[in-house]
Amino acid sequence: MSALAELYQKIAACQDCAELAGTRARTVPGVGAERAQIVFIGEAPGFHEDQQGLPFVGQAGQFLDHLLSSIGLSRSDVYICNVIKCRPPGNRDPLPTEINNCQKWLDTQLELISPKMIVTLGRYSLAKFFPGEAISKIHGKERRINNAVYYPMYHPAAALHQQSLRQTIEADMLKIPSILARTEEVKEEESKPQQLSMF
Ligand code: URA
């Protein structure tokens, strides 16, 4: 069994948040390849995700699929997950204790996948990697931290509520391939042996 599959079993048995464990239909750990170069992190499962056990399968997910195809990718090329692995009842906001309880799963996913690029979708994943910062100021601007690039985007659902954000989200998505290519160039530079200069 793959390390991710083992992790999914642990998540399915998780009882750390009594209310979520008691009301969920399924846990929604994440989907995609263990070797994915890009990980997209949303907020929390909604109704359809809870029913199917898969992230981003509702309307916001259809827009995410459209965004992925705009850069020539499909779900199987990337990894998609959420900050919270269970649906908050009635789609309420996740509580701080729930986010804390769930943090270990997301951290383990990122360790196992070790992606080149982490794309945050919406305010909860933004808060994890860019605490205290405003999405309106930093969306579409990458930040290199250690060996990965972090890239904040508006949540795809924002385009469903606010038509004016649609083009912004589409434009931010279109920047991803060149950011990823630059990351690879920087890595190559770093792995070249240092030339020793005598003079
Ligand atoms: N919104 C999210 O943040 N995640 C999902 O999986 C679905 C909708």
Side-chain angles (χ1 to χ4, degrees):
M1 189 188 291
S2 74
L4 270 181
E6 264 178 46
L7 181 71
Y8 294 171
Q9 285 194 343
K10 290 186 189 152
I11 295 175
C14 182
Q15 298 287 328
D16 288 353
C17 308
E19 189 188 12
L20 302 192
T23 54
R24 70 186 176 216
R26 291 167 187 236
T27 50
V28 183
V31 70
E34 195 156 330
R35 290 169 170 267
Q37 295 193 335
I38 313 179
V39 172
F40 290 84
I41 309 173
E43 296 186 359
F47 175 81
H48 296 287
E49 290 76 21
D50 178 62
Q51 293 294 308
Q52 297 183 35
L54 292 169
F56 282 98
V57 289
Q59 261 194 308
Q62 284 169 21
F63 184 44
L64 182 58
D65 287 341
H66 156 80
L67 292 168
L68 287 172
S69 74
S70 76
I71 56 169
L73 296 179
S74 68
R75 277 176 183 244
S76 54
D77 299 313
V78 300
Y79 191 84
I80 303 173
C81 63
N82 286 303
V83 171
I84 291 282
K85 312 304 188 201
C86 297
R87 180 190 181 210
N91 295 347
R92 67 159 167 72
D93 288 344
L95 303 173
T97 48
E98 293 166 350
I99 294 170
N100 270 339
N101 288 345
C102 226
Q103 188 168 314
K104 57 182 171 299
W105 304 132
L106 180 56
D107 289 344
T108 308
Q109 281 170 313
L110 294 176
E111 267 165 38
L112 290 175
I113 298 165
S114 187
K116 293 194 170 115
M117 186 163 186
I118 293 168
V119 181
T120 66
L121 302 172
R123 59 190 160 135
Y124 292 100
S125 50
L126 182 86
K128 178 171 169 67
F129 298 103
F130 303 92
E133 300 199 52
I135 185 71
S136 55
K137 294 222 172 82
I138 65 167
H139 72 89
K141 294 178 188 154
E142 79 270 25
R143 212 170 282 177
R144 232 173 103 83
I145 305 171
N146 300 327
N147 277 329
V149 170
Y150 294 78
Y151 188 66
M153 284 182 60
Y154 281 100
H155 195 285
L160 308 176
H161 306 306
Q162 225 178 312
Q163 193 59 27
S164 59
L165 281 180
R166 194 180 169 97
Q167 285 179 349
T168 306
I169 297 172
E170 287 174 339
D172 286 349
M173 191 75 170
L174 290 176
K175 292 187 201 165
I176 287 182
S178 60
I179 295 170
L180 199 59
R182 274 206 303 280
T183 310
E184 275 157 17
E185 274 169 28
V186 174
K187 276 206 168 161
E188 268 176 34
E189 279 303 311
E190 282 171 354
S191 60
K192 274 187 197 159
Q194 297 259 316
Q195 293 247 315
L196 282 180
S197 168
M198 304 288 283
F199 306 102

